[in-house]
Amino acid sequence: MENRLTKIERKAQAKDKEAAAEYVVVKKLVDALREGKPARSVELGKEEMEVASGYQLLTSKPMIYIANMSEEEIADPTSNRHFNTVKEYAAKENNDVIAICAKIEEELSSLDKEEKSVFLQDLGISESGLDQVIKSAYHLLGLKTFFTVGVQECRAWTFHDGMTAPECAGVIHTDFQKGFIRAECFSYDDYMEYKSEAKLKEAGKLRLEGKEYIVQDGDILHFRFNV
């Protein structure tokens, strides 16, 4: 990065607008790295972030901190001073800290769904460490899930937050996106409440959404398309 800074500094001084804009970004990053700070700690605007992404800096990657706790501490991680230290450090970078107990996770891996629920309840834990890690990773990466439901199978599809209905259709197949007409849509929570599409229609919970619709986490979609 220091070599890059020296190189574009000359161009920036020669009134090269593109180099001047890049120089500002590189200077911010180099200053932080010289102080031992990760690149992700540098405050950058949207356009600056696009420039910085081209450098593929390791310390620009988002982070999740995972603290391995004892069985006695897992129900109340803050009782461990080391956990609190990690939490304070992570908070400075707006990162999550997840407390898990590796021994408990190993035991959970051998249990069925009902047994897991009882086991976690006995420990005073609402969800497993693995589930917490998955949720945190999705949130950190800006990922969400929509579902497609058919007679033979139900599938979950991962998409980036902010994607439209046609873009999500393209996750399944590019033809779905090219020929997108509209999407029949209802939420997972509504489906669990009403139990059938017929009752969803009666309750006015089944919607038809067009090309501008921003798909929400947990949406169940049926795409109409014509190619």
Side-chain angles (χ1 to χ4, degrees):
M1 289 302 293
E2 290 182 334
N3 290 338
R4 183 62 182 168
L5 182 66
T6 302
K7 184 177 180 180
I8 62 172
E9 184 176 13
R10 299 192 193 100
K11 291 184 178 180
Q13 290 173 345
K15 308 301 181 182
D16 184 320
K17 291 184 179 180
E18 188 174 329
E22 184 182 358
Y23 176 80
V24 172
V25 177
V26 177
K27 184 69 166 62
K28 288 181 180 180
L29 293 171
V30 169
D31 287 346
L33 294 173
R34 283 172 175 168
E35 293 176 10
K37 297 178 181 178
R40 61 180 168 273
S41 68
V42 179
E43 293 187 12
L44 300 173
K46 185 177 180 180
E47 292 183 358
E48 290 179 322
M49 289 180 68
E50 290 178 0
V51 174
S53 66
Y55 307 130
Q56 294 292 305
L57 297 175
L58 184 61
T59 61
S60 68
K61 306 298 182 185
M63 291 279 290
I64 300 174
Y65 293 89
I66 298 177
N68 187 24
M69 317 289 291
S70 69
E71 292 179 78
E72 293 74 24
E73 297 170 324
I74 193 63
D76 181 20
T78 56
S79 63
N80 184 303
R81 63 185 179 87
H82 299 299
F83 174 83
N84 293 327
T85 299
V86 174
K87 191 173 182 180
E88 289 175 11
Y89 179 82
K92 295 176 182 178
E93 300 178 2
N94 294 317
N95 288 322
D96 292 336
V97 181
I98 299 172
I100 70 167
C101 174
K103 186 176 181 180
I104 290 175
E105 295 301 313
E106 182 182 14
E107 292 181 41
L108 285 170
S109 66
S110 63
L111 302 177
D112 61 32
K113 186 176 181 180
E114 187 174 336
E115 290 173 330
K116 284 181 182 178
S117 179
V118 173
F119 185 53
L120 290 172
Q121 189 174 2
D122 289 343
L123 292 170
I125 306 171
S126 59
E127 59 183 346
S128 71
L130 178 59
D131 286 344
Q132 292 180 63
V133 171
I134 292 171
K135 288 180 179 179
S136 183
Y138 260 60
H139 174 73
L140 195 64
L141 297 173
L143 300 176
K144 293 186 176 181
T145 303
F146 73 87
F147 301 93
T148 54
V149 180
V151 176
Q152 295 183 333
E153 68 172 1
C154 173
R155 286 197 60 175
W157 305 86
T158 300
F159 69 100
H160 288 279
D161 188 19
M163 287 177 67
T164 62
E167 289 172 331
C168 284
V171 172
I172 301 174
H173 197 288
T174 53
D175 284 349
F176 284 24
Q177 182 172 2
K178 291 176 183 177
F180 179 89
I181 300 173
R182 56 183 174 271
E184 293 181 3
C185 176
F186 50 92
S187 73
Y188 172 82
D189 290 338
D190 285 340
Y191 184 74
M192 294 304 293
E193 179 179 350
Y194 292 95
K195 305 300 182 183
S196 74
E197 288 190 33
K199 290 183 178 179
L200 283 166
K201 287 180 181 179
E202 290 176 7
K205 297 295 184 179
L206 194 151
R207 316 182 307 275
L208 288 177
E209 301 290 357
K211 294 181 179 180
E212 303 302 318
Y213 176 66
I214 303 298
V215 176
Q216 302 299 306
D217 192 35
D219 274 351
I220 298 174
L221 302 171
H222 175 69
F223 296 107
R224 297 183 182 180
F225 70 101
N226 182 30
V227 177

